[in-house]
Amino acid sequence: MLSKSSSITIQLLEPIIFVEPKSNSHNVIRGTINLRLPKTTTINSLSIRFDGRMDTRSYSFEAMENKGAFVQKKALARQRLMIYPTLEQTDHTRPLVLHAGLTQYGFEMEIPSGLPESIDCSDVKVEYSVTAIMDVCTSSFLGVKRHTEKEFCKEIIRIVRLPFEDTILGDNTTDIIDSQTHKSAWMDYQIVIGKKAVSIGSELPITFRFKPTNEGVTVDHVSLQILERRDLYRETTHTNHSVYSVDLHEKNKVAIPTGALKKRWEGKLLYKVPDGKSLVHSTQEYPDFKIGHTLLVSISLSIPGTGRYRVQKLVTYQTSIDILDDSIGKMETLKLPSYDSPPPFDNTQFVFGEYDRKFADPPCYADIYA
């Protein structure tokens, strides 16, 4: 039986694994096992285990009576890497004696390709973990061997999908969605969405272009909504929907004209994608589930009617949009510094403690080998 221990901790080098869409390449998890032992300890074995599990909501009659609890569970991965004893050891029964204090073991483990991305929503939950397991040999006060005890430490590791292939190389990071010009009986309009893929909680710039085709047309209101669709694939597909309002960002400084449009108008408004646990990110289509999103833009107009009355009209535009995990928006690797950025040095530097010099450009090749 495993017992959680304060003697073991895991330090993951990459607690988030970023994978490209539809990639079949294998990924590697790396980290360090820290053993802080209060006294000399005899260890029979030390290992690292990677686990993946998917829980999906059941729609059976019994589950519906239980408010649709997660009852269908599926193992996605389980593999183990032995730290001790090693494969090179001839005597695998020989225990390892560690003295009191800190002992560290680094590890690398290749994990399977094609794993579903981590997700946690009302219909499906995909979670991955890394567990360090230490088999400790305990003895009585007389020194007689008594039994073994397994202690463990567990850390959650996330698999996050990148929006496009070659994202790390800087390709396809500025794709936009252009509605092209739509014509109505009252106004021509064009909507340009600044991002084809946007992370939860991040900024979403949208450019509006309005050209009135009748006199007295006013734009009363523009609203944005994200429509979320969650599909679970069983013998029959079960689909659920949610709707989320998208509000203007606090940094937005542009307002749509309140009066009648007399000429062509263009403006870029800044919105914020909702954050929190309600809205979840989009996923690829997997054998068991898929989560997709649609952005709906609604423009409320009013046009002159009979007498002093005005008539309300509504024009809409909708498009698929890729909602990304919030960690994508925090990726520093996508914001590479320019090549000519000044070096982060003061005027005077000590290089390896050998000499003192002022920072200067490297000498030319011809000056060295003239």
Side-chain angles (χ1 to χ4, degrees):
M1 181 177 180
L2 295 179
S3 61
K4 194 170 183 179
S5 172
S6 60
S7 302
I8 314 175
T9 58
I10 302 174
Q11 184 177 357
L12 293 172
L13 181 62
E14 298 164 324
I16 300 177
I17 298 177
F18 295 100
V19 297
E20 292 186 341
K22 300 180 181 178
S23 173
N24 292 322
S25 60
H26 291 268
N27 292 282
V28 177
I29 55 176
R30 302 175 179 86
T32 303
I33 303 175
N34 301 308
L35 304 180
R36 296 184 183 273
L37 304 175
K39 61 181 180 179
T40 300
T41 305
T42 301
I43 297 177
N44 292 328
S45 65
L46 178 64
S47 62
I48 281 285
R49 193 180 71 204
F50 173 76
D51 293 285
R53 192 182 74 173
M54 177 177 63
D55 299 344
T56 54
R57 188 176 299 279
S58 174
Y59 287 92
S60 64
F61 180 75
E62 294 79 7
M64 295 300 290
E65 285 188 332
N66 195 26
K67 297 183 179 180
F70 286 100
V71 296
Q72 298 199 14
K73 305 180 185 296
K74 179 180 179 181
L76 298 175
R78 167 163 283 202
Q79 59 188 60
R80 183 187 296 266
L81 174 67
M82 293 300 301
I83 307 297
Y84 184 88
T86 62
L87 296 176
E88 292 77 13
Q89 286 183 233
T90 56
D91 184 5
H92 287 190
T93 62
R94 181 180 178 180
L96 174 66
V97 179
L98 298 179
H99 297 292
L102 174 63
T103 304
Q104 295 179 307
Y105 292 92
F107 66 88
E108 287 189 359
M109 178 191 293
E110 187 179 87
I111 62 175
S113 62
L115 292 173
E117 56 211 271
S118 301
I119 188 76
D120 186 1
C121 68
S122 58
D123 290 280
V124 60
K125 181 177 181 180
V126 175
E127 184 179 87
Y128 300 95
S129 63
V130 177
T131 306
I133 304 172
M134 179 172 63
D135 190 346
V136 180
C137 180
T138 60
S139 59
S140 67
F141 69 97
L142 296 176
V144 179
K145 182 177 179 180
R146 189 168 55 188
H147 65 280
T148 61
E149 183 178 281
K150 293 183 182 294
E151 301 180 4
F152 80 98
C153 173
K154 179 179 177 181
E155 291 290 338
I156 299 298
I157 189 167
R158 298 173 62 203
I159 296 180
V160 174
R161 175 183 56 87
L162 293 169
F164 312 103
E165 295 180 0
D166 300 326
T167 300
I168 297 298
L169 302 179
D171 296 340
N172 300 320
T173 57
T174 58
D175 281 7
I176 63 173
I177 301 174
D178 189 347
S179 70
Q180 305 299 322
T181 300
H182 287 243
K183 296 182 179 291
S184 69
W186 319 284
M187 181 182 73
D188 297 343
Y189 63 95
Q190 182 181 6
I191 302 170
V192 179
I193 302 168
K195 298 178 181 179
K196 197 173 184 179
V198 60
S199 60
I200 294 175
S202 65
E203 301 175 357
L204 180 61
I206 299 182
T207 299
F208 295 91
R209 299 187 178 109
F210 300 145
K211 181 182 178 182
T213 55
N214 279 327
E215 293 184 358
V217 177
T218 63
V219 178
D220 295 336
H221 184 65
V222 174
S223 64
L224 267 68
Q225 293 174 310
I226 292 178
L227 315 179
E228 181 177 279
R229 172 172 174 157
R230 302 181 298 276
D231 292 324
L232 294 182
Y233 303 130
R234 305 285 170 70
E235 293 181 358
T236 59
T237 300
H238 295 276
T239 302
N240 285 319
H241 297 88
S242 298
V243 181
Y244 304 94
S245 296
V246 182
D247 299 324
L248 287 169
H249 199 284
E250 59 183 8
K251 296 180 182 178
N252 178 68
K253 298 181 180 180
V254 178
I256 293 177
T258 55
L261 291 175
K262 298 181 180 181
K263 59 181 181 179
R264 184 179 183 274
W265 180 87
E266 176 178 336
K268 179 185 288 187
L269 278 67
L270 190 62
Y271 291 86
K272 181 182 179 182
V273 179
D275 52 9
K277 291 196 67 175
S278 298
L279 176 67
V280 296
H281 61 81
S282 309
T283 70
Q284 295 180 175
E285 185 170 13
Y286 298 104
D288 296 279
F289 69 94
K290 179 186 179 183
I291 299 175
H293 294 88
T294 300
L295 181 65
L296 174 64
V297 182
S298 302
I299 305 173
S300 300
L301 308 174
S302 64
I303 61 175
T306 305
R308 293 180 299 173
Y309 294 98
R310 298 185 66 83
V311 179
Q312 302 295 320
K313 300 294 181 178
L314 180 68
V315 294
T316 62
Y317 171 71
Q318 69 177 27
T319 180
S320 297
I321 189 168
D322 192 3
I323 303 297
L324 305 172
D325 188 276
D326 59 356
S327 59
I328 298 291
K330 302 172 185 176
M331 285 181 64
E332 294 290 337
T333 53
L334 292 183
K335 300 178 181 178
L336 300 176
S338 60
Y339 179 78
D340 58 350
S341 293
F345 301 127
D346 297 328
N347 290 333
T348 304
Q349 292 291 322
F350 289 91
V351 181
F352 303 119
E354 296 177 357
Y355 58 92
D356 180 9
R357 67 175 177 86
K358 289 186 177 181
F359 185 86
D361 292 331
C364 296
Y365 183 87
D367 296 338
I368 301 175
Y369 296 99

